[in-house]
């Protein structure tokens, strides 16, 4: 048998189910609990939600009434089940409801007997009662309690049973106002009960411990009901402990004898025949007035006018809703008054209140739906009117104020049309909801507008700062960051001024405005920082461009021509110094006017000649490397763009990638010097004149020698032009000699061949004689001269090929020497000889 299943302890005819109870006690192992168990029961009017309360409170599965099938008797007799998840082991009993129409007013003995049985065997008795019944005579079970008190004192000794009055469907009346009335009624019942001589002066507290709690309506406020039931469940944990809900109980029967004890108690109660119920007249009035009220409620539920009105409300607002519904309700209330006029006034009034309560409960959803439609329609109209007002360019705050007043006035007028005269229902919740919705929409629109304004000014700040900052950083000078700070301050102040003026009409709190302005200032700073970080990522390229610009152009920005007079060492140093200055500017973000030593550190570490000459081993011994760090002094890590270690690496890359440019300049300068120094020194010329005077005179005396020398001169010049001697030696002596040696013999043969071909081509026309004009002009109308001129173009291609070959060889030799210097000295400085 499942522990959570319920069994019928006593059937509707009063027969005690002994066999099933014994089996159930074994299944739940109640006999093993000793005295650590508790018994809880519930009593109250029929269809008052007792089973529902127990199922939610203790996790049982008692049968509940199906409200859609009508209100009728659900629980017959007494049922029992074990509570789920509560320690100690707790048995709960669900009693048949009192005042049931199925038994009628003449068969009420079982109701009293079952109530007395519950009080006798239970440690805690839940008395389920409606909130509206507090203060009434019959509905509050007062006669039943009075009879039970009398019989219990006569049959049983005091055992401190806890009476927990559960007030159902609590209304607006606070519990602190209901509880004193209920306690006073219970005390009056106790005082008026005739007691045996032994208990004449015994107070109620000797027999009962009275507790009161209240629960919301399960049908109307289900979630709240469940939360309250969950809170009510807590006291039942360790309920028998000292100070617990049943901690003062007395005369506890061991758990193993519970079944036999319950059976004997029921037997004693069944043998008592002198129990009474309320007066017949009151009971008849109660039953009859309830029947009339139920009949009127049923007719109202099926009323065609009401159904049409309810259907119309579901689809949208209905004009004149309050008047129509009030007229329908008046009809059925007046019919009830006419039919129930001759019954007991108290019962008649009580049942009429119940009828009104149920009828209003029936129509209340339609009323709420109408208020919901009214709220929605008013809100949508408010949105449209506000949007149109803003499109016309009206100020935001004044537009919101005017539109809000108009919307609330329209809603109040609509509520007056929806109101029902039979109910004093408040529309304040819907009105407050409408106000909150309006405020939420206004906040949303305000946020959207402010967001647009903020985005616009952020865009303007970006446009005003991004390109100028990039240009300043690219130019990187001594006052770069000062210029950036000045630019940032000017543009930010202008944007803040425009922004403050733009949001004046939004009635934003000063703290919010200050925050938005601060965010705008921070955004401007972030634009600068972002651009600085972007430029820092391209610093090597910028340094190379800076080096190339300074190295390859003079002070007038004209390209340099390496004539051999330039100081390449100084030019190189200036170019590197300029690149290093750019690196120092890009090394950190300097948004605050705080001095730093980055420039000096880089200059002393990378440009100082003495430090470059010191080996890395000696440097580690004599002093620490200031660039062997990941942070700069006096610069926070968040403002660091390029760390000292990265600066050192970038400087090494720069030197490596620009050294070829320097080497080429040196080579060009050397070639220029060699091409300009083809004449011998002056002393050699003087020596040649003095020592060659005799030979010169010999030539003058013998013209034949002069002709031979002229022929040799022309042949040499032809070879000079054909072989491009200056061009061959421009790349070095050794490459020039190699190139000339490979071309000398073929060139001489070509010249001789040309001379021979020229002689055979025109034997009849003698060559024109040399004249002084052509000699003075430096031109020679000879086949050799023509050949020299014609062969210059053909020789240029071969010369250029040899030049490239020798240049490539020189580059390979230079790369090998550079690598050797880097490995040996670990230095990026270029050595000059």
């Amino acid at each position: 048998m499942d522990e959570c299943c319920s069994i019928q302890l006593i059937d509707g005819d009063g027969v005690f189910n002994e066999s099933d109870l014994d089996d159930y006690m074994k299944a739940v192992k109640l006999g093993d609990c000793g005295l650590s168990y508790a018994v809880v029961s519930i009593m109250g009017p029929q269809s008052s939600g007792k089973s529902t309360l127990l199922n939610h409170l203790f996790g049982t599965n008692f049968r509940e009434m199906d409200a859609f099938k009508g209100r009728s008797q659900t629980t017959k007799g007494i049922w029992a089940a074990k509570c789920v998840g509560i320690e100690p082991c707790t048995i709960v009993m669900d009693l048949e409801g009192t005042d049931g129409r199925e038994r009628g007013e003449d068969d009420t003995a079982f109701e009293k007997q079952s109530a007395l049985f519950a009080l006798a065997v239970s440690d805690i008795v839940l008395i389920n009662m409606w909130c509206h019944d507090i203060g009434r005579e019959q509905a509050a079970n007062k006669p039943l309690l009075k009879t039970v008190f009398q019989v219990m004192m006569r049959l049983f000794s005091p055992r401190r049973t806890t009476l927990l009055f559960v007030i159902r469907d609590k209304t607006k009346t606070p519990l602190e106002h209901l509880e004193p009335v209920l306690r006073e009624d219970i005390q009056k019942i106790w005082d008026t009960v005739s007691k045996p001589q032994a208990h004449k002066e015994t107070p109620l507290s000797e027999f009962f411990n009275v507790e009161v709690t209240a629960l919301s309506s399960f049908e109307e406020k289900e979630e709240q009901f469940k939360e309250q039931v969950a809170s009510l469940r807590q006291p039942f944990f360790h309920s028998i402990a000292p100070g617990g809900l049943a901690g003062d109980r007395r005369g506890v029967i061991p758990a193993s004898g519970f079944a036999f004890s319950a059976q004997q108690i029921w037997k004693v109660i069944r043998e008592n025949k002198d129990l009474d119920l309320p007066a017949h007249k009151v009971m008849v009035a109660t039953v009859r007035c309830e029947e009339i009220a139920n009949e009127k409620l049923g007719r109202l539920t099926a009323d065609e006018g009401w159904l049409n009105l309810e259907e119309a409300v579901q689809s949208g607002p209905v004009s004149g809703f309050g008047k129509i519904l009030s007229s329908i309700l008046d009809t059925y209330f007046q019919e009830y008054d006419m039919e129930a006029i001759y019954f007991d006034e108290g019962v008649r009034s009580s049942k009429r209140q119940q009828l009104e309560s149920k009828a209003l409960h029936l129509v209340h959803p339609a009323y709420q739906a109408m208020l919901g439609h009214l709220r929605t329609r008013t809100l949508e109209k408010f949105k449209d009117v506000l949007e149109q007002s803003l499109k016309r360019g009206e100020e935001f705050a004044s537009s919101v104020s005017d539109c809000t007043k108009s919307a609330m006035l329209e809603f109040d007028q609509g509520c007056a049309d929806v109101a029902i005269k039979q109910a004093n229902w408040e529309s304040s919740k819907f009105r407050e909801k409408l106000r909150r919705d309006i405020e939420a929409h206004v906040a949303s629109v305000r946020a959207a507008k402010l967001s647009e304004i903020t985005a616009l000014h952020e865009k303007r700040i970006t446009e005003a700062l991004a390109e100028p900052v990039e240009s300043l950083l690219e130019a990187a000078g001594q006052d770069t960051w000062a210029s950036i700070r000045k630019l940032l301050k000017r543009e930010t102040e202008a944007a803040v001024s425009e922004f403050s003026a733009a949001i004046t009409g939004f009635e934003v709190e000063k703290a919010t405005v200050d925050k938005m302005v601060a965010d705008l200032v921070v955004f401007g700073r972030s634009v600068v920082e972002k651009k600085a970080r972007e430029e820092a990522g391209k610093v090597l390229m910028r340094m190379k461009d800076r080096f190339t610009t300074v190295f390859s152009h003079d002070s007038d920005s004209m390209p340099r021509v390496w004539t051999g007079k330039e100081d390449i060492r100084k030019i190189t140093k200036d170019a590197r110094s300029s690149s290093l200055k750019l690196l120092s500017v890009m090394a950190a973000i300097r948004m605050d006017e705080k001095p730093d030593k980055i420039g000096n550190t880089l200059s002393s570490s990378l440009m100082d000649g003495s430090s470059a000459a010191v080996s890395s081993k000696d440097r580690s011994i004599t002093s620490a490397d200031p660039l062997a760090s990941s942070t700069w002094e006096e610069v926070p890590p968040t403002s660091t763009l390029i760390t000292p270690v990265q600066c050192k690496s970038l400087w090494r890359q720069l030197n490596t990638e620009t050294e070829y440019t320097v080497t080429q300049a040196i080579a060009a300068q050397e070639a220029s010097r060699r091409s300009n120094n083809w004449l011998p020194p002056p002393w050699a010329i003087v020596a040649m004149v003095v020592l060659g005077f005799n030979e010169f005179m010999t030539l003058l005396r013998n013209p034949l020698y002069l002709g031979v020398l002229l022929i040799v001169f022309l042949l040499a010049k032809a070879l000079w032009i054909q072989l491009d001697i200056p061009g061959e030696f421009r790349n070095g002596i050794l490459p020039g000699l190699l190139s000339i040696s490979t071309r000398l013999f073929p060139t001489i043969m070509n010249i001789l061949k040309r001379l021979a071909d020229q002689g055979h081509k025109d034997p009849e026309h003698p060559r024109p004689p040399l004249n002084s004009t052509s000699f003075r002009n430096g031109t020679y109308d000879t086949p050799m001269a023509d050949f020299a001129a014609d062969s210059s173009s053909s020789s240029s291609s071969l010369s250029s090929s040899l030049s490239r070959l020798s240049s490539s060889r020189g580059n390979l030799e230079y790369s090998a020497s550079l690598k050797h210097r880097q490995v040996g000295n670990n230095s990026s400085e270029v050595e000059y000889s």
Side-chain angles (χ1 to χ4, degrees):
M1 181 180 295
D2 192 354
E3 293 183 7
C4 66
C5 292
S6 58
I7 64 166
Q8 190 175 33
L9 184 62
I10 300 173
D11 62 18
D13 297 328
V15 179
F16 194 92
N17 192 354
E18 179 181 357
S19 59
D20 287 346
L21 178 61
D22 289 336
D23 294 339
Y24 189 75
M25 294 300 105
K26 293 177 181 178
V28 300
K29 300 180 181 181
L30 181 63
D32 300 334
C33 296
L35 300 179
S36 299
Y37 76 102
V39 180
V40 180
S41 59
I42 188 169
M43 60 191 304
Q46 178 175 299
S47 303
S48 61
K50 300 186 300 300
S51 300
T52 301
L53 174 60
L54 293 180
N55 290 340
H56 283 83
L57 187 59
F58 301 113
T60 55
N61 64 341
F62 293 119
R63 182 185 175 191
E64 298 179 11
M65 183 189 73
D66 189 354
F68 293 97
K69 295 181 180 179
R71 307 185 70 84
S72 60
Q73 187 181 52
T74 303
T75 303
K76 296 182 180 180
I78 300 176
W79 290 74
K82 179 186 176 183
C83 300
V84 178
I86 292 182
E87 292 293 337
C89 179
T90 302
I91 302 298
V92 61
M93 296 190 303
D94 187 12
L95 275 64
E96 178 179 321
T98 61
D99 197 18
R101 60 181 295 274
E102 287 76 9
R103 289 189 178 274
E105 61 185 35
D106 296 330
D107 187 13
T108 58
F110 182 83
E111 297 176 358
K112 296 181 181 180
Q113 292 169 357
S114 60
L116 186 59
F117 174 79
L119 290 170
V121 302
S122 302
D123 302 305
I124 304 170
V125 177
L126 306 179
I127 300 179
N128 202 48
M129 60 187 304
W130 299 109
C131 181
H132 295 292
D133 292 340
I134 296 178
R136 298 174 182 171
E137 189 67 22
Q138 305 298 333
N141 293 323
K142 291 181 182 179
L144 179 61
L145 286 176
K146 184 175 182 179
T147 303
V148 168
F149 286 172
Q150 290 176 342
V151 177
M152 187 172 182
M153 285 187 296
R154 182 161 47 86
L155 297 179
F156 306 100
S157 59
R159 59 188 307 271
R160 293 299 299 275
T161 302
T162 298
L163 297 180
L164 178 57
F165 286 84
V166 181
I167 302 174
R168 302 293 295 276
D169 293 0
K170 181 182 175 298
T171 60
K172 296 181 179 179
T173 305
L175 179 62
E176 55 266 27
H177 294 166
L178 297 174
E179 183 176 353
V181 176
L182 186 59
R183 289 184 178 274
E184 183 180 355
D185 291 345
I186 296 172
Q187 187 63 43
K188 287 181 179 179
I189 295 174
W190 178 259
D191 294 338
T192 57
V193 167
S194 56
K195 307 178 185 65
Q197 189 63 36
H199 298 297
K200 283 290 185 182
E201 303 299 328
T202 303
L204 175 66
S205 58
E206 285 294 317
F207 280 86
F208 302 103
N209 177 31
V210 180
E211 300 287 343
V212 181
T213 187
L215 299 176
S216 300
S217 172
F218 174 74
E219 295 180 354
E220 297 181 5
K221 303 177 181 179
E222 183 176 354
E223 294 299 327
Q224 188 174 353
F225 172 83
K226 291 180 180 180
E227 293 177 0
Q228 294 171 351
V229 168
S231 300
L232 181 59
R233 178 182 172 88
Q234 297 304 315
F236 290 92
F237 287 90
H238 310 293
S239 59
I240 62 175
L245 197 58
D248 297 331
R249 62 180 184 166
R250 303 169 187 172
V252 182
I253 303 298
S256 58
F258 172 77
F260 178 76
S261 174
Q263 182 183 6
Q264 294 301 313
I265 291 174
W266 178 247
K267 181 179 180 180
V268 173
I269 293 175
R270 289 285 287 177
E271 292 175 354
N272 186 10
K273 303 297 184 181
D274 58 351
L275 300 177
D276 297 326
L277 288 176
H280 175 73
K281 179 179 180 181
V282 175
M283 287 298 297
V284 170
T286 302
V287 173
R288 183 55 187 151
C289 289
E290 187 170 357
E291 288 179 353
I292 296 173
N294 291 337
E295 188 266 336
K296 300 307 174 186
L297 184 62
R299 286 182 57 193
L300 172 62
T301 304
D303 186 271
E304 185 176 353
W306 155 245
L307 293 177
N308 293 336
L309 182 63
E310 184 181 29
E311 183 179 358
V313 168
Q314 298 303 320
S315 57
V318 177
S319 179
F321 173 85
K323 292 181 179 179
I324 297 173
L325 186 55
S326 296
S327 176
I328 296 175
L329 293 175
D330 268 346
T331 300
Y332 293 102
F333 291 162
Q334 290 175 5
E335 291 179 0
Y336 171 85
D337 291 338
M338 292 178 62
E339 295 183 24
I341 191 172
Y342 298 107
F343 289 101
D344 181 80
E345 183 178 0
V347 175
R348 183 177 72 240
S349 299
S350 174
K351 296 304 177 182
R352 191 183 194 281
Q353 292 178 359
Q354 293 182 12
L355 173 62
E356 290 179 356
S357 176
K358 293 177 181 179
L360 294 177
H361 178 72
L362 174 67
V363 302
H364 190 254
Y367 173 80
Q368 288 185 316
M370 273 296 300
L371 291 181
H373 291 317
L374 181 61
R375 181 189 62 81
T376 303
R377 183 180 65 184
T378 305
L379 179 61
E380 292 301 324
K381 186 175 181 180
F382 169 82
K383 292 180 180 179
D384 294 338
V385 173
L386 179 61
E387 183 179 359
Q388 295 299 326
S389 177
L390 294 178
K391 285 183 178 180
R392 291 194 299 268
E394 298 182 11
E395 191 179 58
F396 183 84
S398 60
S399 298
V400 169
S401 178
D402 296 341
C403 294
T404 302
K405 290 179 181 178
S406 176
M408 299 310 295
L409 179 61
E410 181 179 351
F411 180 79
D412 292 339
Q413 293 174 350
C415 289
D417 181 69
V418 175
I420 302 172
K421 69 177 183 180
Q422 290 85 359
N424 189 23
W425 287 330
E426 291 287 341
S427 60
S428 57
K429 291 183 179 180
F430 286 86
R431 193 177 194 278
E432 185 62 27
K433 180 66 166 58
L434 173 61
R435 182 175 292 278
R436 289 198 302 269
D437 291 342
I438 289 176
E439 292 176 352
H441 179 71
V442 169
S444 176
V445 174
R446 180 187 289 111
K449 295 294 183 182
L450 292 177
S451 179
E452 291 178 3
I453 296 174
T454 302
L456 176 61
H457 285 80
E458 287 180 351
K459 181 179 179 181
R460 292 179 180 175
I461 289 177
T462 303
E463 294 175 351
L465 292 178
E467 293 185 359
V469 169
E470 181 178 356
S471 177
L472 288 171
L473 291 176
E474 186 176 356
Q478 187 70 26
D479 58 345
T480 295
W481 281 107
S483 300
I484 292 176
R485 289 193 295 268
K486 184 177 179 181
L487 174 65
L488 174 63
K489 182 179 180 181
R490 183 180 69 250
E491 297 298 336
T492 302
E493 288 178 352
V496 167
S497 178
E498 294 178 3
F499 178 79
S500 301
I503 65 173
T504 302
F506 286 87
E507 290 188 350
V508 184
E509 295 181 357
K510 185 177 183 303
T512 304
V513 173
D514 293 342
K515 183 179 183 302
M516 296 177 71
V517 169
D519 292 342
L520 201 60
V521 173
V522 171
F523 177 81
R525 186 184 182 106
S526 68
V527 170
V528 174
E529 293 181 355
K530 180 181 179 181
K531 183 55 65 175
R533 295 185 188 280
E534 291 178 0
E535 291 300 310
K538 301 182 288 186
V539 66
L540 180 60
M541 180 182 69
R542 300 295 190 198
M543 291 171 66
K544 290 166 60 178
D545 293 343
R546 176 70 65 86
F547 178 89
T548 303
T549 300
V550 177
F551 186 81
S552 303
H553 296 79
D554 57 18
S555 59
D556 297 329
S557 298
M558 297 298 293
R560 294 185 188 274
V561 178
W562 304 106
T563 62
K565 299 178 181 180
E566 296 81 10
D567 187 354
I568 294 182
R569 181 183 297 275
K570 181 179 183 303
I571 294 173
T572 303
K573 185 174 182 180
D574 292 341
R576 288 179 176 171
S577 176
S578 181
S579 299
L580 188 63
K581 185 178 297 182
L582 186 146
L583 179 62
S584 67
V585 171
M586 297 301 302
I589 298 174
R590 299 170 177 87
M591 300 303 294
D592 300 322
E593 297 182 9
K594 294 181 179 179
D596 57 69
K597 302 178 181 178
I598 295 178
N600 295 335
T601 302
L602 291 176
S603 179
S604 61
S605 300
L606 302 179
M607 290 298 296
D608 190 357
S610 61
S611 63
V614 181
S615 65
S616 59
K617 180 178 180 180
D618 294 338
R619 180 179 295 174
S620 62
I621 295 174
T622 57
S623 63
D625 186 357
L627 298 183
S629 173
S630 60
T631 58
W632 296 105
E633 293 183 5
E634 303 174 353
V635 177
T638 55
S639 298
T640 300
L641 297 177
I642 306 173
T643 63
V645 174
Q646 292 172 339
C647 287
K648 188 174 182 179
S649 176
L650 289 170
W651 182 252
R652 186 163 52 248
Q653 293 181 52
L654 175 68
N655 290 338
T656 301
E657 296 182 16
T658 58
E659 191 164 356
Y660 177 72
T661 302
V662 178
T663 304
Q664 288 294 95
I666 295 174
Q669 193 179 58
E670 290 296 329
S672 178
R673 288 175 179 174
R674 286 195 299 270
S675 63
N676 293 331
N677 294 334
W678 59 274
L679 291 176
W683 62 268
I685 295 175
V686 173
M688 291 172 61
V689 171
V690 173
L691 297 177
F693 179 77
N694 293 331
E695 287 76 5
F696 179 71
M697 295 303 296
T698 302
L699 288 177
L700 291 178
R701 295 189 185 98
N702 192 351
L704 181 60
Y705 290 155
L706 187 61
V708 173
L709 288 177
L710 180 61
I711 292 172
V712 172
F713 171 75
L714 293 176
L715 180 61
K717 185 166 185 179
L719 288 174
W720 183 276
I721 296 174
Q722 184 72 16
L723 295 176
D724 189 18
I725 301 300
E728 294 296 338
F729 283 98
R730 187 179 296 114
N731 297 318
I733 298 175
L734 181 60
L737 292 176
L738 291 175
S739 177
I740 292 172
S741 64
T742 57
R743 297 172 55 200
L744 180 61
F745 183 73
T747 302
I748 294 175
M749 296 303 296
N750 286 336
I751 293 173
L752 295 176
K753 184 178 180 181
R754 288 282 305 271
L755 291 173
D757 292 340
Q758 193 72 20
H760 290 292
K761 189 179 298 182
D762 194 8
E764 297 180 357
H765 295 83
R767 288 175 300 210
L770 293 175
N771 54 53
S772 59
T773 305
S774 61
F775 184 80
R776 284 194 303 268
N777 294 335
T779 59
Y780 305 94
D781 297 331
T782 63
M784 188 176 297
D786 295 339
F787 174 78
D790 294 338
S791 63
S792 61
S793 61
S794 62
S795 63
S796 61
S797 59
L798 180 58
S799 300
S800 120
S801 300
L802 291 174
S803 299
R804 287 194 297 271
L805 177 62
S806 60
S807 174
S808 302
R809 178 179 177 182
N811 291 339
L812 290 175
E813 293 173 353
Y814 159 73
S815 299
S817 65
L818 176 61
K819 184 179 295 185
H820 176 72
R821 289 200 303 272
Q822 289 177 343
V823 173
N825 299 328
N826 192 22
S827 172
S828 60
E829 297 294 334
V830 178
E831 299 179 359
Y832 303 100
S833 59

